[in-house]
Amino acid sequence: MRRLFPVTDETVPAAPAASAGAADGEWSLDELADAYAYPKERGASGAWLRANMVSSLDGAAQHEGRSQPISSDTDMRIFGTLRALADVVVVGAETVRLEGYRPARAREAFAARRAAAGQGPAPAIAVVSASLNLDFSLPLFTSPLVPTLVLTGATAPVDRVRAAREAGAEVLVVGDGAAVEPPRMVEALAARGLTRLLTEGGPRLLAQFIAAGVLDELCLTVSPVLTAGRAQRIADGPGVSVPERFALASVLEEAGFLFTQYRRI
């Protein structure tokens, strides 16, 4: 069973189980892009920071260190769609190392949509790191379609900053100390015209964004599996003194997976 339940003030009939002409019953990429379109109203800076994460029923954000075992094919289609809608994908250094990040690629299916929105062929990748303990020989840094950004603090090791720049990355200093300051990060990216922000974690980075009050939207896949163990939650870091309330914007369901979208109230 596949259903799309937009959350509105009116009762909306469920979407058909399959798009016209879709033999396998998958949602079309256009349907997904419409469902996950960035809002037009985005605040004073024009920036909108959305997160995309997956969690098991018992709260695990990963299994044996990776998110793939609790994901699904449709989850990955949504993952690709969210990337295709973004100006920049913000990711933590540990996630780059664990998940084997590669440069974002141009996708013909989204080319017209991106062109109409004034976007380039693919989103930039922005890696957040205080130590810059990264392998700058990887394709993510040496051969991206769009130059990779490295976000760090003012006290980052000088030799690592030089290595990042020599590899072709653009280094942005968005913190007075070692760490990145999330509000300054959002402002710096928006100043470069990168206002549609997507973060794919990891959990420590997402916790920092939540604690700083800069997260506008959470796209959370709830996977119908139980893992037990001691895996991280989707946000694992500094907390907030008062929990912040988000509103449910939409829910998609397939084979027990719930693809939810929550926005700041």
Side-chain angles (χ1 to χ4, degrees):
M1 176 185 294
R2 293 181 176 87
R3 295 289 186 266
L4 170 59
F5 300 105
V7 178
T8 68
D9 292 333
E10 302 176 0
T11 301
V12 180
S19 304
D24 59 0
E26 293 179 332
W27 288 296
S28 73
L29 293 178
D30 278 339
E31 287 173 327
L32 291 176
D34 288 342
Y36 286 98
Y38 278 81
K40 294 180 180 179
E41 299 296 329
R42 300 188 214 142
S45 71
W48 185 269
L49 176 59
R50 100 182 345 160
N52 181 34
M53 301 292 284
V54 60
S55 171
S56 68
L57 292 175
D58 53 341
Q62 53 193 224
H63 181 63
E64 297 182 343
R66 300 182 66 243
S67 59
Q68 189 277 331
I70 61 174
S71 181
S72 70
D73 289 345
T74 298
D75 184 44
M76 294 310 298
R77 280 172 64 81
I78 292 174
F79 173 93
T81 299
L82 294 179
R83 276 198 163 199
L85 296 175
D87 295 327
V88 60
V89 178
V90 184
V91 63
E94 185 66 12
T95 298
V96 168
R97 290 188 287 264
L98 290 175
E99 302 281 355
Y101 261 60
R102 298 186 63 82
R105 58 189 178 90
R107 299 182 60 185
E108 182 61 32
F110 296 98
R113 187 181 290 264
R114 289 187 66 87
Q119 296 172 298
I125 303 293
V127 183
V128 177
S129 178
S131 68
L132 301 188
N133 180 22
L134 297 159
D135 184 354
F136 292 117
S137 69
L138 294 175
L140 176 62
F141 301 102
T142 61
S143 57
L145 185 61
V146 180
T148 294
L149 305 172
V150 174
L151 308 175
T152 192
T155 62
V158 175
D159 62 325
R160 301 306 296 159
V161 171
R162 182 170 57 251
R165 288 174 172 154
E166 289 176 350
E170 180 182 357
V171 179
L172 303 182
V173 175
V174 287
D176 292 332
V180 164
E181 297 169 20
R184 286 181 60 179
M185 179 209 76
V186 172
E187 291 171 2
L189 293 174
R192 284 163 172 74
L194 305 175
T195 58
R196 303 172 185 89
L197 281 58
L198 169 67
T199 180
E200 298 168 348
R204 283 183 291 183
L205 182 62
L206 179 56
Q208 292 171 31
F209 290 157
I210 293 171
V214 298
L215 186 70
D216 297 299
E217 179 181 321
L218 173 64
C219 298
L220 176 65
T221 294
V222 180
S223 175
V225 299
L226 294 167
T227 68
R230 299 184 181 276
Q232 286 180 303
R233 300 186 306 150
I234 65 167
D236 187 1
V240 296
S241 57
V242 178
E244 187 173 10
R245 184 70 180 268
F246 277 54
L248 182 63
S250 70
V251 182
L252 293 80
E253 184 275 338
E254 181 194 47
F257 283 82
L258 297 179
F259 307 100
T260 68
Q261 186 179 21
Y262 289 86
R263 290 180 174 175
R264 184 199 305 274
I265 296 176

